[in-house]
Amino acid sequence: MQTQERFLEGERVFLRPYHEEDLDFLYQSLYIHETRKLTGLKKVYSKEYMAEYFSKISIDESRIFLVIVDQATNELIGDVELSYIDLLSRTSYIRIQISNDHYLSKGYGTEAMKLLLDYGFGVYNLHRIELEVYSFNSRAIRAYEKLGFKQEGIKRESMYYNHEYHDTIIMGLLKSEFFK
């Protein structure tokens, strides 16, 4: 049975801490072809390695790693994370992974990101949050722009995947832009 504490709650999703029972879902997501492509994942990891990795990052004070859950069904959707939190410069990186195809392009990821952005800006008092996205991931780029992220730069041909090079787009969001 899934633990259902709700750390951040929206209309359709809630975010909660990682628990060991989430491992199977998150591990299986590493083997979804589309997920591997969109995240640029190349290595193959053992389940034991991933169990240790998730346990380690879930207690790392420089990150907030949360699981995304559907409010109505308690079904796992994916995960979202603020990482490299720098409280002196008030900056962080954000990333999200939707690992359940049923929830793609329906606004669930955008809602999860909005919850964590609000927490980062409103509770951690961050000034700037940034992300990187591959140029071929137009669905994610649109979602990030909808949240207020602005393209700040391009790392040309920085990622090699499936026999070709791809650009990495750097996007950023300032606290003042998010709360407009």
Side-chain angles (χ1 to χ4, degrees), residues 117-138:
L117 287 166
D118 186 63
Y119 188 78
F121 288 129
V123 175
Y124 268 64
N125 195 28
L126 295 174
H127 172 69
R128 170 191 165 72
I129 298 176
E130 69 179 69
L131 59 82
E132 293 185 351
V133 60
Y134 300 120
S135 54
F136 56 78
N137 193 348
S138 56

Side-chain angles (χ1 to χ4, degrees), residues 82-98:
L82 281 176
S83 59
Y84 305 104
I85 298 171
D86 179 342
L87 295 176
L88 290 175
S89 296
R90 297 175 42 217
T91 62
S92 181
Y93 288 83
I94 194 167
R95 66 152 203 90
I96 187 168
Q97 179 172 315
I98 302 299

Side-chain angles (χ1 to χ4, degrees), residues 33-41 104 133-134 136-139 159 161:
H33 174 74
E34 183 77 359
T35 300
R36 293 177 66 83
K37 179 182 176 190
L38 295 176
T39 60
L41 183 62
L104 289 171
V133 60
Y134 300 120
F136 56 78
N137 193 348
S138 56
R139 180 176 55 218
M159 198 268 286
Y161 198 86

Side-chain angles (χ1 to χ4, degrees), residues 132-151:
E132 293 185 351
V133 60
Y134 300 120
S135 54
F136 56 78
N137 193 348
S138 56
R139 180 176 55 218
I141 293 168
R142 280 191 307 276
Y144 300 147
E145 288 172 342
K146 188 174 161 185
L147 286 164
F149 280 89
K150 308 231 182 313
Q151 182 175 316

Side-chain angles (χ1 to χ4, degrees), residues 31-177:
Y31 294 94
I32 300 169
H33 174 74
E34 183 77 359
T35 300
R36 293 177 66 83
K37 179 182 176 190
L38 295 176
T39 60
L41 183 62
K42 298 171 186 150
K43 283 187 76 173
V44 177
Y45 296 101
S46 70
K47 194 171 188 180
E48 294 75 21
Y49 174 88
M50 293 310 296
E52 186 176 318
Y53 173 75
F54 289 129
S55 292
K56 186 174 123 185
I57 68 170
S58 66
I59 61 169
D60 182 342
E61 291 190 17
S62 70
R63 24 176 28 135
I64 300 170
F65 175 68
L66 300 167
V67 176
I68 307 166
V69 183
D70 182 324
Q71 285 270 32
T73 65
N74 290 325
E75 188 173 9
L76 292 180
I77 296 173
D79 60 273
V80 64
E81 172 182 24
L82 281 176
S83 59
Y84 305 104
I85 298 171
D86 179 342
L87 295 176
L88 290 175
S89 296
R90 297 175 42 217
T91 62
S92 181
Y93 288 83
I94 194 167
R95 66 152 203 90
I96 187 168
Q97 179 172 315
I98 302 299
S99 304
N100 185 326
D101 289 346
H102 174 73
Y103 293 94
L104 289 171
S105 298
K106 295 180 180 172
Y108 289 91
T110 302
E111 183 177 334
M113 288 272 290
K114 190 173 184 178
L115 288 170
L116 193 53
L117 287 166
D118 186 63
Y119 188 78
F121 288 129
V123 175
Y124 268 64
N125 195 28
L126 295 174
H127 172 69
R128 170 191 165 72
I129 298 176
E130 69 179 69
L131 59 82
E132 293 185 351
V133 60
Y134 300 120
S135 54
F136 56 78
N137 193 348
S138 56
R139 180 176 55 218
I141 293 168
R142 280 191 307 276
Y144 300 147
E145 288 172 342
K146 188 174 161 185
L147 286 164
F149 280 89
K150 308 231 182 313
Q151 182 175 316
E152 297 180 335
I154 296 176
K155 295 194 289 188
R156 298 176 301 132
E157 297 185 5
S158 60
M159 198 268 286
Y160 185 77
Y161 198 86
N162 202 23
H163 308 284
E164 60 185 319
Y165 284 96
H166 304 278
D167 294 343
T168 302
I169 299 171
I170 301 164
M171 301 181 84
L173 178 63
L174 301 177
K175 183 177 186 174
S176 60
E177 296 166 337

